[in-house]
């Protein structure tokens, strides 16, 4: 018996492949243009028909965290001034010395905030307002000279405290020799050059030339510390100890300049024993170091770290 045979015949039909064009036709281009025009028209309509809050209000809300600080100070000032004017009208008048000091404080804070909008340190704005305030003749604090000097010293102490709190003990131990070099070498070089130039160009005595050099060589901690604190917040230069280097150099430079300036002034206007005046500087520095060390040890235990209300 023979096996069945398969009589299925194959299909011999031909298949034609037609390539599909991937290039947009003119019709597609016109549709795309119409869609773009329609979208742009809707956007313009949304802008014209915008019924939300005013743009200036949106800007005010966005910048409110910055603007709220001077606004709060001004609000507190007017509230306290109103109470003071009702209770003590003699001392609350604008021309009194106390009001001039308050105006100086509020104006400095306001200018500091304004300078931050142009990407400058707020301390520059405060210094600018102080210079402007003095040149306008408003910084006349008669009978309050001691209080004025006290405020000036407290401002310097505040800046130096910020610098001290930003120091890194480990970085300070590693960079102490570099800090010493950056403090002594530039100070001595600047004072020597300025003293020589003032002697031959301005015909000043040598001691007065040295005093002028010490005034110029002193680094302003106001601007330096403020800028470094901003860089520290941005986490720049923390690994290399740059902040500690600049903080310590600034503090040591000011201490050295102030100490030598007092010595020079004592030598110029010396009326007593010169050796006693020369020893006042080192003795004062030693007392400050001992007091700072003892007070720092005290703060390790008072208040207790386990206290609920302790914020140190």
């Amino acid at each position: 018996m023979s096996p069945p045979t398969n009589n299925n015949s194959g299909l011999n039909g031909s298949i034609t492949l037609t390539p599909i064009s991937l290039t947009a036709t003119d019709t597609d281009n016109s549709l795309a243009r119409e869609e773009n025009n329609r979208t742009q028209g809707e956007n313009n309509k949304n802008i014209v028909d915008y019924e939300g809050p005013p743009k200036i209000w949106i800007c005010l809300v966005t910048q409110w965290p910055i603007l709220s600080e001077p606004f709060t100070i001004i609000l507190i000032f007017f509230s306290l001034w109103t109470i003071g004017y009702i209770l003590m009208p003699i001392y609350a008048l604008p021309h009194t010395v106390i009001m001039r000091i308050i105006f100086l404080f509020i104006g400095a804070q306001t200018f500091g905030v304004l300078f931050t909008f142009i990407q400058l340190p707020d301390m520059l704005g405060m210094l600018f307002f102080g210079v402007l305030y003095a040149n306008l003749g408003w910084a006349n604090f008669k009978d309050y000279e001691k209080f004025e000097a006290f405020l000036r010293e407290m401002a310097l102490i505040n800046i130096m405290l910020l610098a001290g709190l930003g120091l890194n003990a480990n970085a300070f131990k590693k960079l102490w020799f570099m800090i010493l070099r950056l403090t002594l070498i530039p100070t001595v070089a600047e004072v020597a050059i300025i003293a020589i130039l003032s002697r031959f160009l301005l015909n000043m005595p040598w001691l007065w030339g040295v005093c002028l050099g010490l005034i110029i060589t002193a680094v302003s901690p106001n601007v330096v510390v403020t800028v470094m604190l901003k860089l520290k917040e941005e986490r720049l230069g923390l690994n290399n100890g740059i902040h500690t280097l600049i903080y310590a150099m600034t503090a040591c430079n000011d201490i050295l300049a102030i100490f030598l300036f007092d010595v020079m002034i004592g030598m110029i206007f010396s009326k007593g024993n010169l050796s006693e005046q020369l020893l006042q500087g080192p003795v004062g520095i030693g007392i400050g170091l001992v007091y700072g060390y003892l007070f720092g040890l005290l703060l390790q235990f008072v208040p207790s770290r386990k206290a609920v209300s302790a914020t140190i």
Side-chain angles (χ1 to χ4, degrees), residues 208-220:
W208 284 107
V210 173
C211 290
L212 178 62
L214 291 171
I215 293 174
I216 296 176
T217 192
V219 177
S220 176

Side-chain angles (χ1 to χ4, degrees), residues 222-237:
N222 300 332
V223 179
V224 175
V225 174
T226 304
V227 174
M228 294 310 299
L229 288 176
K230 183 178 180 181
L231 294 178
K232 186 177 180 180
E233 292 177 356
E234 297 177 358
R235 311 294 298 177
L236 297 176

Side-chain angles (χ1 to χ4, degrees), residues 141-215:
F141 307 128
K142 187 178 180 181
D143 299 331
Y144 286 83
E145 288 81 5
K146 293 184 178 180
F147 183 67
E148 178 189 359
F150 172 77
L151 292 179
R152 190 183 299 112
E153 293 177 357
M154 289 299 103
L156 178 60
I157 291 174
N158 184 33
I159 294 297
M160 301 307 291
L161 281 176
L162 291 176
L165 293 174
L167 292 177
N168 188 340
N170 296 327
F172 185 81
K173 293 177 182 178
K174 295 179 181 179
L175 301 173
W176 70 270
F177 187 64
M178 184 179 295
I179 294 171
L180 187 63
R181 286 182 295 171
L182 289 176
T183 302
L184 294 178
I185 296 176
T187 301
V188 174
E190 290 180 22
V191 171
I193 293 173
I194 294 173
I196 294 172
L197 292 177
S198 62
R199 172 62 180 175
F200 293 102
L201 296 179
L202 303 177
N203 197 21
M204 294 178 61
W206 285 107
L207 293 180
W208 284 107
V210 173
C211 290
L212 178 62
L214 291 171
I215 293 174

Side-chain angles (χ1 to χ4, degrees), residues 16-255:
T16 303
L17 298 177
T18 303
I20 300 174
S21 176
L22 299 179
T23 305
T25 60
D26 295 338
T27 304
D28 296 334
N29 291 333
S30 61
L31 292 175
R33 285 194 296 269
E34 291 178 359
E35 181 67 20
N36 292 333
N37 294 333
R38 185 176 62 83
T39 304
Q40 186 176 3
E42 291 179 355
N43 293 334
N44 294 333
K45 183 179 179 181
N46 292 333
I47 294 174
V48 174
D49 298 338
Y50 176 74
E51 297 179 355
K55 299 296 182 63
I56 188 172
W57 175 257
I58 297 176
C59 181
L60 180 62
V61 172
T62 305
Q63 301 295 331
W64 180 246
I66 300 176
L67 297 175
S68 61
E69 296 181 5
F71 179 78
T72 304
I73 295 174
I74 295 173
L75 182 62
I76 293 174
F77 163 72
F78 278 107
S79 301
L80 295 178
W81 180 80
T82 304
I83 297 173
Y85 186 78
I86 295 173
L87 300 178
M88 298 178 294
I90 299 176
Y91 299 99
L93 295 176
H95 65 274
T96 58
V97 178
I98 296 177
M99 293 304 299
R100 288 181 180 178
I101 295 175
I102 296 175
F103 287 148
L104 176 62
F105 173 76
I106 295 177
Q109 293 291 332
T110 304
F111 269 72
V113 174
L114 293 177
F115 268 57
T116 57
F117 287 105
I118 55 177
Q119 304 300 322
L120 290 176
D122 55 351
M123 193 63 66
L124 284 178
M126 297 179 184
L127 293 175
F128 174 78
F129 182 79
V131 174
L132 180 64
Y133 200 80
N135 284 275
L136 291 176
W138 297 340
N140 183 14
F141 307 128
K142 187 178 180 181
D143 299 331
Y144 286 83
E145 288 81 5
K146 293 184 178 180
F147 183 67
E148 178 189 359
F150 172 77
L151 292 179
R152 190 183 299 112
E153 293 177 357
M154 289 299 103
L156 178 60
I157 291 174
N158 184 33
I159 294 297
M160 301 307 291
L161 281 176
L162 291 176
L165 293 174
L167 292 177
N168 188 340
N170 296 327
F172 185 81
K173 293 177 182 178
K174 295 179 181 179
L175 301 173
W176 70 270
F177 187 64
M178 184 179 295
I179 294 171
L180 187 63
R181 286 182 295 171
L182 289 176
T183 302
L184 294 178
I185 296 176
T187 301
V188 174
E190 290 180 22
V191 171
I193 293 173
I194 294 173
I196 294 172
L197 292 177
S198 62
R199 172 62 180 175
F200 293 102
L201 296 179
L202 303 177
N203 197 21
M204 294 178 61
W206 285 107
L207 293 180
W208 284 107
V210 173
C211 290
L212 178 62
L214 291 171
I215 293 174
I216 296 176
T217 192
V219 177
S220 176
N222 300 332
V223 179
V224 175
V225 174
T226 304
V227 174
M228 294 310 299
L229 288 176
K230 183 178 180 181
L231 294 178
K232 186 177 180 180
E233 292 177 356
E234 297 177 358
R235 311 294 298 177
L236 297 176
L238 293 178
N239 297 330
N240 298 325
I242 297 176
H243 299 81
T244 299
L245 177 65
I246 296 179
Y247 286 150
M249 185 270 295
T250 302
C252 294
N253 179 274
D254 290 337
I255 293 173

